[in-house]
């Protein structure tokens, strides 16, 4: 038995080095200076510093990029929940498959397909010149990610609510909205937190829409980090610090909400 | 109210049939009084989804058969000239080739490696959840961060990969600068990012397998490998196809890490259809041609996904 156990842990170690190693490498590199990063991988004793992070905030307006990411991810998540929760409820109560198909289409369509029309629209309404309009466009674009995801994640939670609980309120003469608002929604609260966290992360991570649509003042973290590649290609420490900041919400989530995450990224493929 | 709240929905489980999402399991149809009057709640989401998904698709199809210039003027219906240009352009065929290459290589390796990792993840040993947590990280890390880290790892002169190779006496590899190697390097990054995702689904599948067939096989004295191949794999097929379908849809429209790491180069060796389409629209400013490419890509995704579903249904019959 112990022989089998050590075999499993040996496999753990191999897989962890392969799949978690690069993440550790990113975190570690974000804390080393450039000479050490490019000097030797094997110099483990090299000094650690927070300089890469402080540089980001001093030389660039990193605070604003973070705020931009928050605005877009937060806005699209809240909108996705407000629209998605009632819709998921209807999908469950009416056993609706058609909406599922459209959300599937949203999942399968290449992102560029959405970006072209949005870009044309953006130019027509003056999106590139207006900060407020640009935020609005980005939030709406990210709704393509968050709305299907919210519906997808919430459906199983509404399915778990026994119909008998709701039926009992029929006698009190509660109308459909009251049943949803006062009974179904509170019972689905765990699901709402799952959907909130996951769609925030997915929206935060998403790259393409902001790449094509954001203007100078609304650039989120993902795109500014990409723009860095061209500008300071030798500043690996800065790039790794930026990567670490981008990854922070996802990393925190893995530590605190692993079970939700499994459910979320497998998208209901397994329970 | 509060007593309702304390009743955990997870504990009830009476109606928790299928995996939900697009296809609710077929249930006996009975008149459900709670379903009355809920229709209007879906209206906002339906409208928004229609506007967000169907309008762009329709508009892109229109773009693809008209002639929009980069200055925003559109001289109107053009017929299938953009498509003719696309099929006559060797760049399109190259992109198709690159897309299919990455699709086949990544899906194959991710499935095989995913089975191995999924098996390891499914075993009940102390520390399983911590290990599973680590394996989750690649899939939920933003592609930009993934691309940047791998750019540093694959840097030709200073990168970690070549430093490690040098230690064991192998000459440095030009990971991303050589058109013969770059597609493999990109595949490597995708395999790194998504194998654990496959494994996660597979391990959940393995953990929900019935035990009886395996016990019976053990009684018959069948070897571990034979049992896995003859009993485990067939039982696992539904889960495996779902996982492969999810990856297929993403691989056919492969964009993020490529755009971050190579932008389609060198010499178009990593120029997938999606990257090609983006560059046509936003770098070369040919919106109508880019639209034709996107429609072609959408058709390809639907064809492959549809073929997969058809195959799956036929196989399960």
């Amino acid at each position: 038995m112990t022989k089998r156990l050590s075999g499993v842990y040996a496999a753990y170690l191999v897989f962890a080095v392969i799949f978690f190693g690069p993440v550790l490498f990113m975190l570690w590199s974000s804390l080393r200076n450039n000479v050490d990063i490019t000097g030797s991988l094997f110099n483990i004793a090299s000094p650690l510093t927070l300089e890469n992070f402080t540089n980001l905030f001093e030389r660039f307006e990193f605070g604003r990029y973070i705020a931009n990411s928050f605005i877009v991810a937060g806005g699209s998540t809240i909108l996705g929940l407000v629209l998605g929760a009632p819709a998921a409820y209807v999908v469950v109560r009416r056993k609706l498959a058609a909406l599922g198909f459209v959300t599937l289409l949203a999942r399968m369509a290449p992102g560029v397909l959405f970006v072209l029309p949005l870009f044309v629209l953006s130019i027509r309404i003056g999106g590139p010149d207006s900060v407020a309009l640009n935020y609005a466009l980005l939030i709406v674009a990210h709704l393509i990610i968050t709305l299907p995801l919210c519906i997808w994640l919430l459906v199983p939670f509404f399915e778990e609510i026994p119909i008998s609980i709701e039926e009992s309120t029929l006698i009190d003469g509660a109308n459909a909205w009251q049943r949803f608002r006062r009974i179904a929604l509170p019972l689905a609260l765990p699901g709402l937190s799952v959907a909130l966290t996951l769609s925030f992360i997915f929206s935060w991570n998403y790259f393409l829409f902001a790449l094509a649509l954001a203007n100078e003042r609304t650039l989120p973290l993902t795109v500014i980090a990409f723009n860095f590649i061209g500008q300071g290609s030798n500043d690996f420490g800065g790039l790794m610090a930026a990567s670490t900041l981008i990854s922070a919400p996802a990393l925190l989530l893995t530590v605190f909400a692993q079970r939700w995450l499994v459910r979320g990224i497998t998208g209901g493929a397994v329970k | 109210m509060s007593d309702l709240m304390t009743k955990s929905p997870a504990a009830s489980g009476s109606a928790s049939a299928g995996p939900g999402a697009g296809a609710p399991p077929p249930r006996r149809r009975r008149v459900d009084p709670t379903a009355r009057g809920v229709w209007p709640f879906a209206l906002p989401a339906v409208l928004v989804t229609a506007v967000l998904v169907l309008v762009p698709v329709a508009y892109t199809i229109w773009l693809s058969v008209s002639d929009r210039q980069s200055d925003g003027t559109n001289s109107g219906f053009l017929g299938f000239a953009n498509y003719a240009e696309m099929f006559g352009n060797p760049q399109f065929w190259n992109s198709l080739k690159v897309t299919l290459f990455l699709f086949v290589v990544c899906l194959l390796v991710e499935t095989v490696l995913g089975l191995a990792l999924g098996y390891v993840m499914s075993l009940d040993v102390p520390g399983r959840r911590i290990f599973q947590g680590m394996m989750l990280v690649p899939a939920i890390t933003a592609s930009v961060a993934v691309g940047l880290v791998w750019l540093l790892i694959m840097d030709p002169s200073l990168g970690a990969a070549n430093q490690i190779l040098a230690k064991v006496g192998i000459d440095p590899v030009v990971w991303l600068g050589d058109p013969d190697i770059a597609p493999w390097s990109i595949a490597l990054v995708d395999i790194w990012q998504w194998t654990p995702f496959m494994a996660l689904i597979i391990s959940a599948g393995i953990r929900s397998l019935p035990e009886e067939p395996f016990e019976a096989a053990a009684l018959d004295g069948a070897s571990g490998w034979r049992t896995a191949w003859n009993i485990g794999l067939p039982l696992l097929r539904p889960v495996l196809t779902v996982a492969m379908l999810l990856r297929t849809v993403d691989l056919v429209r492969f964009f993020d890490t490529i755009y971050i790491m190579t932008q389609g180069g060198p010499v178009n060796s990593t120029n997938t259809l999606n990257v090609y389409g983006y560059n046509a629209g936003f770098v070369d400013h040919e919106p109508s041609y880019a639209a034709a490419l996107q429609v072609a890509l959408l058709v390809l995704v639907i064809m492959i996904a549809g073929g997969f579903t058809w195959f799956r249904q036929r196989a399960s019959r």
Side-chain angles (χ1 to χ4, degrees), chain A residues 9 41 107 152 160 182 258, chain B residues 1 12 21 126 132 163 253:
Chain A
Y9 287 133
L41 180 62
R107 174 84 171 70
W152 200 341
E160 279 167 7
R182 301 218 304 255
Q258 206 193 110
Chain B
M1 203 70 217
S12 64
Q132 182 181 278
Q163 286 189 38
R253 13 162 246 183

Side-chain angles (χ1 to χ4, degrees), chain B residues 133-146:
Chain B
M134 289 202 285
M135 293 300 105
L136 270 170
V137 172
I140 54 156
T141 304
S143 302
V144 175
V146 169

Side-chain angles (χ1 to χ4, degrees), chain A residues 5 22 28-29 37 53 58 63 73 96 125-127 155 172 180 194 234 239:
Chain A
L5 209 59
W28 182 42
S29 299
I37 294 175
F53 289 94
E58 277 164 17
L96 208 65
I125 62 173
V155 160
D172 306 337
F180 169 68
V194 173
N234 292 322
L239 284 172

Side-chain angles (χ1 to χ4, degrees), chain B residues 249-307:
Chain B
V249 170
D250 284 343
L251 276 167
V252 178
R253 13 162 246 183
F254 203 165
F255 179 84
D256 283 18
T257 32
I258 297 181
Y259 200 78
I260 290 147
M261 297 182 70
T262 64
Q263 288 96 55
V267 213
N268 293 317
S269 59
T270 59
N271 204 4
T272 58
L273 279 174
N274 212 7
V275 174
Y276 181 40
Y278 182 87
N279 283 336
F282 291 93
V283 179
D284 303 336
H285 301 293
E286 293 183 66
S288 277
Y289 184 62
L293 281 169
Q294 288 312 308
V295 174
L297 184 55
L298 183 62
V299 170
L300 188 69
V301 176
I302 291 174
M303 263 168 44
I304 295 183

Side-chain angles (χ1 to χ4, degrees), chain A:
Chain A
M1 201 61 205
T2 44
K3 196 184 148 204
R4 180 176 163 267
L5 209 59
S6 53
V8 174
Y9 287 133
Y12 270 20
L13 187 68
V14 172
F15 283 118
V17 167
I18 296 172
F19 291 108
F20 198 64
V23 178
L24 281 181
F25 177 67
M26 171 186 81
L27 297 174
W28 182 42
S29 299
S30 75
L31 296 170
R32 303 171 81 198
N33 62 48
N34 275 317
V35 180
D36 287 330
I37 294 175
T38 52
S40 175
L41 180 62
F42 306 98
N43 183 9
I44 295 170
S46 64
L48 299 180
T49 163
L50 282 173
E51 216 172 87
N52 294 322
F53 289 94
T54 51
N55 274 346
L56 285 182
F57 289 93
E58 277 164 17
R59 285 196 216 145
F60 309 93
E61 291 178 84
F62 241 70
R64 200 179 67 200
Y65 305 131
I66 293 176
N68 285 341
S69 277
F70 261 104
I71 290 169
V72 174
S76 59
T77 298
I78 289 166
L79 258 182
L81 275 178
V82 168
L83 295 169
Y89 181 68
V90 178
V91 168
V92 171
R93 284 287 168 260
R94 301 234 48 142
K95 299 164 181 72
L96 208 65
L99 198 64
F101 173 75
V102 180
T103 51
L104 191 70
L105 191 66
R107 174 84 171 70
M108 296 203 314
V112 182
L113 194 139
F114 297 112
V115 149
L116 272 174
L118 279 168
F119 187 72
V120 172
L121 174 76
S122 167
I123 288 178
R124 188 155 296 172
I125 62 173
D129 306 315
S130 156
V131 173
L133 262 181
N134 209 281
Y135 280 134
L137 265 171
L138 286 175
I139 288 173
V140 168
H142 279 232
L143 206 52
I144 295 170
I145 324 280
T146 59
L147 181 55
L149 187 68
C150 284
I151 295 178
W152 200 341
L153 290 171
L154 283 171
V155 160
F157 285 93
F158 282 119
E159 269 177 348
E160 279 167 7
I161 301 173
I163 285 181
S164 55
I165 294 185
E166 284 191 49
E167 274 172 341
S168 64
T169 63
L170 284 172
I171 306 158
D172 306 337
N175 66 30
W177 179 252
Q178 286 166 332
R179 283 202 308 275
F180 169 68
R181 225 352 239 102
R182 301 218 304 255
I183 293 155
L185 206 56
L187 282 173
L189 211 59
L192 289 177
S193 14
V194 173
L196 178 89
T197 338
L198 280 171
S199 51
F200 183 86
I201 301 280
F202 278 60
S203 178
W204 173 282
N205 282 353
Y206 204 80
F207 170 63
L208 172 62
F209 293 153
L211 175 72
L213 298 172
N215 68 25
E216 287 287 295
R217 299 190 55 80
T218 61
L219 281 178
L221 271 182
T222 44
V223 180
I224 198 67
F226 171 70
N227 290 349
F228 269 12
I229 300 172
Q231 292 167 14
S233 53
N234 292 322
D235 184 15
F236 282 122
L239 284 172
M240 290 305 102
S243 302
T244 303
L245 285 178
I246 295 170
S247 317
L251 287 174
L252 286 176
L253 194 67
T254 336
V255 178
F256 295 112
Q258 206 193 110
R259 256 188 61 203
W260 300 352
L261 211 58
V262 174
R263 194 171 192 157
I265 68 167
T266 56
V270 284
K271 268 223 145 177

Side-chain angles (χ1 to χ4, degrees), chain B residues 13 22 107 152 164 197:
Chain B
L107 190 67
L152 174 53
I164 293 171
F197 165 84

